[in-house]
Amino acid sequence: MITFERTGKRFGNLDAVKDFSITIKDGEILGLLGPNGAGKTTLMLMMGTVYRPTSGTITVNGFDVVKHPNEVRRLIGIAFQDPRVDGILSGFEVLNWHLKMTTTSDKDERRRKVEDVLKTLDLWDARKKRTWLMSGGMKKKIEDAKILVQRPSIAVFDEPTAFLDVPSRLLVWKMIRQLRDEGSTVIVATNMMDEAERLSERVAIVNKGKLVASETPEQLKGTVKGGEVLELTLNDGSEFRPDMLTKFPEVHDVKKQNNKIMVFLNSGTLLLPKIVDTLSIQGFKIESVRLKEVSLEDVFLTYTGQQLE
Amino acid sequence: MSSSPTPDNSLNETSTTAKPPTHLILQMALRDVSVLFRTPWIIITRALSFIVQVFVFANLISGLIHIQGINYFEYYAVGSVVTTIASISFVIGYDIFEEAEEGVLDYLLTLPISRRQLIIGRALGGAMRAIVYTIPMFVIVAVFWGFSQPLPILTALLSLFLLAFGVTGMSITVAVSVKNANRFDVVLALLELAVSRASTALYPIGFIPVYVAVFAPFSPVSFAADSAYSSLVMLTLDLPAIAGLVAFVVIFLGLGATFYFRRLEGGVYA
């Protein structure tokens, strides 16, 4: 179990993380969802003992990260957002050395484990290639592979599928789920909605260093009133005011981002003609209309007022 | 919130077993050494450059000057090995600075190795790399001048290793205490120049200008050169020089560790 209790991290005058509290259960996949600069990486680096919290505490399986950093490091493996590999080493060498440092596997066992993971990730043929000569996607897979081959008790992935094509993304998600199935607790930091929704059992929304919400994706969607979202794109939304639509009792909330209007409502099909009429009478030209169910993206927008991706 | 350690039975087997500190330190050190073996041409070109410097330049100069009681050709050759090892030992600082910039240092800090083991491993790796790098030059000098007695050779190698160990500590100290890349390059280059050139490794003390001669005897490179020359040429043990080297190692490994801890665990590093 990992517990953040009123954790904070201050760099100079900047609060990268502030009053952050959450408990992560054993064997769950937690998605940390937030925009770039939200504090996700700082949270992970504090948990990984690279940074010290400036306030509050973090305990990992009962070990305080400040008082017992060596014990914590034995439990955790972190795959970084930007690959952190020695460019002069080959993919095989990077993984082999990582295993030497983190496990008690002997030479044959290490070779077998590295071979397995490289073959699964379709990197076996490139195993002797120096990592600085690899493409961004290949390097990213090597970074993820460090943790997939180590199989730590607590596996942390920072943007695990950034730079990856769709088949590789699906494969990495599958391998992360397998890791959890074998008993690891998994934390995935991401700014990709579909990754958070598909992979995580629970999503923690982080914004400006603070925890905004933490529930299962379905529960989070349930917190958005109305259950439906009407997306309207106007040719010029500068004159639009939310009260033009909140006068309808079925409309719970209206968010505006430039020319895009998000209307959180119920009975959308029935209300749609009235909304179109109202806007047309006010002189707005509607370029597109889309009625959909609430997604995690809408949840994020509701909680933070920002859109991801 | 409880902070006392409690056992947890759900951990994966591979990550629960603590590895012996010596294993982790050695692996960390071998990582630095292995990088050198992936660029063998650097060793070869540097060895060739050393041969030209000693057998052309030093040979020529020794024909022009005559110093009573000293074969300058031999003196310069031994000194060249010492200054080369000092120069190579500084490289670890550039490596660590680059790793910090590229984020590889963050990765190393998440590995199950204590900060103390990490810095010892890095300093040891830097020193081992410098020794491996300089071995071909040492062998050339030993063969050409007929240094064949095991004990003096071991003493000379010990002096070289102590110098390398201390210089890597010094280099790490600078790497983790200077944040600006340009300033770091200048500081390390000046330090290398001061330590190597303001020494008695290449020039006997009596021939050095007085403003350098004041400092030269206290340079760690002088300690190592004096010790190596005494062992190999005069077959005597220069204990004060070896004591100076040990002090140099202790001071700079300690300083390096202090700065390393402060920068990496004090939250300044961001």
Side-chain angles (χ1 to χ4, degrees), chain A residues 5 49-52 61-63 67 73-75 84 86 93 97-98 100 103 130 151-153 184, chain B residues 1 3-5 8 11-12 14-15 18-19 23 27 31 38 103 107 111-113 115 264-265 267 269:
Chain A
E5 192 166 285
T49 76
V50 177
Y51 295 158
R52 274 185 177 182
N61 286 359
F63 295 110
K67 292 174 185 164
R73 284 182 212 123
R74 285 191 205 113
L75 301 171
R84 309 287 168 94
D86 285 320
E93 288 164 335
W97 190 78
H98 184 77
K100 279 183 185 175
T103 72
R130 288 186 177 178
R151 310 199 89 68
S153 292
S184 293
Chain B
M1 186 57 51
S3 61
S4 59
D8 191 306
L11 311 178
N12 287 355
T14 51
S15 57
K19 306 204 85 169
H23 170 90
Q27 287 306 329
R31 174 178 169 271
R38 276 165 185 79
Y107 162 61
L111 294 172
I113 180 170
R115 298 290 185 263
L264 300 175
E265 291 202 329
Y269 174 72

Side-chain angles (χ1 to χ4, degrees), chain B:
Chain B
M1 186 57 51
S2 166
S3 61
S4 59
T6 53
D8 191 306
N9 297 325
S10 66
L11 311 178
N12 287 355
E13 190 186 340
T14 51
S15 57
T16 53
T17 316
K19 306 204 85 169
T22 47
H23 170 90
L24 295 170
I25 290 170
L26 191 64
Q27 287 306 329
M28 196 55 76
L30 289 176
R31 174 178 169 271
D32 283 318
V33 178
S34 72
V35 169
L36 184 65
F37 284 117
R38 276 165 185 79
T39 52
W41 60 89
I42 293 179
I43 303 178
I44 294 165
T45 52
R46 195 70 187 241
L48 287 173
S49 164
F50 174 83
I51 289 170
V52 170
Q53 182 72 10
V54 170
F55 292 97
V56 177
F57 174 79
N59 196 6
L60 190 150
I61 294 293
S62 64
L64 297 176
I65 59 167
H66 299 282
I67 305 167
Q68 199 173 5
I70 292 178
N71 174 352
Y72 186 66
F73 189 18
E74 186 180 52
Y75 185 94
Y76 188 94
V78 173
S80 282
V81 174
V82 176
T83 53
T84 300
I85 206 163
S87 175
I88 301 307
S89 302
F90 272 104
V91 172
I92 192 79
Y94 292 101
D95 289 351
I96 286 178
F97 196 87
E98 199 175 289
E99 285 171 0
E101 284 196 319
E102 292 173 356
V104 175
L105 200 52
D106 286 347
Y107 162 61
L108 297 179
L109 292 168
T110 63
L111 294 172
I113 180 170
S114 74
R115 298 290 185 263
R116 187 164 280 105
Q117 291 161 6
L118 179 61
I119 191 171
I120 292 171
R122 297 308 302 270
L124 188 63
M128 284 165 63
R129 186 165 67 178
I131 288 285
V132 169
Y133 189 95
T134 322
I135 285 286
M137 303 166 207
F138 188 86
V139 169
I140 290 166
V141 171
V143 169
F144 190 82
W145 276 278
F147 303 139
S148 57
Q149 293 195 43
L151 198 60
I153 286 178
L154 279 177
T155 309
L157 284 174
L158 173 71
S159 304
L160 293 179
F161 183 76
L162 286 172
L163 175 69
F165 209 28
V167 171
T168 54
M170 178 189 269
S171 185
I172 289 169
T173 304
V174 177
V176 294
S177 51
V178 180
K179 281 189 176 181
N180 178 285
N182 293 333
R183 202 175 299 156
F184 167 75
D185 286 343
V186 171
V187 170
L188 210 59
L190 285 176
L191 202 57
E192 185 182 341
L193 194 70
V195 168
S196 293
R197 295 295 162 179
S199 75
T200 57
L202 300 177
Y203 322 107
I205 187 80
F207 295 84
I208 298 175
V210 67
Y211 49 87
V212 178
V214 173
F215 306 105
F218 304 105
S219 161
V221 174
S222 297
F223 292 147
D226 292 350
S227 173
Y229 191 80
S230 296
S231 305
L232 294 170
V233 179
M234 298 190 286
L235 302 177
T236 56
L237 203 58
D238 190 342
L239 281 175
I242 291 175
L245 280 172
V246 170
F248 173 64
V249 169
V250 170
I251 289 168
F252 278 99
L253 268 187
L255 271 181
T258 305
F259 277 98
Y260 213 68
F261 295 152
R262 189 182 297 172
R263 179 165 181 185
L264 300 175
E265 291 202 329
V268 187
Y269 174 72

Side-chain angles (χ1 to χ4, degrees), chain A residues 3-173:
Chain A
T3 308
F4 288 79
E5 192 166 285
R6 304 202 66 178
T7 308
K9 180 65 186 176
R10 178 174 269 259
F11 295 114
N13 292 325
L14 175 75
D15 281 313
V17 172
K18 197 172 181 183
D19 257 350
F20 190 94
S21 298
I22 195 172
T23 298
I24 303 163
K25 289 173 281 185
D26 288 339
E28 80 167 316
I29 301 182
L30 176 85
L32 275 179
L33 182 67
N36 292 330
K40 305 185 299 288
T41 302
T42 304
L43 283 165
M44 290 190 293
L45 289 179
M46 283 195 288
M47 191 171 62
T49 76
V50 177
Y51 295 158
R52 274 185 177 182
T54 40
S55 60
T57 58
I58 305 171
T59 55
V60 177
N61 286 359
F63 295 110
D64 184 293
V65 295
V66 175
K67 292 174 185 164
H68 303 282
N70 295 336
E71 286 78 1
V72 172
R73 284 182 212 123
R74 285 191 205 113
L75 301 171
I76 289 185
I78 298 181
F80 289 85
Q81 182 180 354
D82 304 313
R84 309 287 168 94
V85 293
D86 285 320
I88 204 162
L89 301 181
S90 69
F92 187 95
E93 288 164 335
V94 166
L95 299 183
N96 190 45
W97 190 78
H98 184 77
L99 282 183
K100 279 183 185 175
M101 291 300 291
T102 57
T103 72
T104 51
S105 303
D106 61 25
K107 190 179 175 184
D108 291 340
E109 201 180 351
R110 284 199 308 271
R111 187 190 156 78
R112 184 183 54 73
K113 286 179 175 177
V114 173
E115 186 177 339
D116 281 351
V117 81
L118 286 179
K119 280 183 174 169
T120 309
L121 289 167
D122 199 22
L123 287 172
W124 181 247
D125 290 342
R127 65 188 180 281
K128 292 179 182 169
K129 193 174 188 175
R130 288 186 177 178
T131 52
W132 70 271
L133 293 171
M134 289 182 168
S135 67
M138 288 168 86
K139 262 192 270 196
K140 184 64 189 172
K141 284 201 271 188
I142 292 288
E143 181 66 24
D144 289 338
K146 285 196 292 197
I147 305 311
L148 294 169
V149 78
Q150 179 192 348
R151 310 199 89 68
S153 292
I154 295 157
V156 181
F157 294 89
D158 195 353
E159 314 278 358
T161 59
F163 316 116
L164 299 190
D165 55 26
V166 174
S168 299
R169 289 180 75 188
L170 296 174
L171 179 63
V172 169
W173 288 347

Side-chain angles (χ1 to χ4, degrees), chain A residues 207-246:
Chain A
N207 193 35
K208 295 176 182 169
K210 290 184 176 175
L211 180 66
V212 179
S214 162
E215 298 288 355
T216 65
E218 287 311 311
Q219 284 171 326
L220 282 173
K221 287 180 206 171
T223 61
V224 177
K225 288 176 184 170
E228 288 177 299
V229 183
L230 180 65
E231 274 184 14
L232 297 157
T233 308
L234 308 179
N235 72 332
D236 180 8
S238 56
E239 299 291 317
F240 176 83
R241 298 187 322 274
D243 62 278
M244 292 172 180
L245 301 179
T246 49

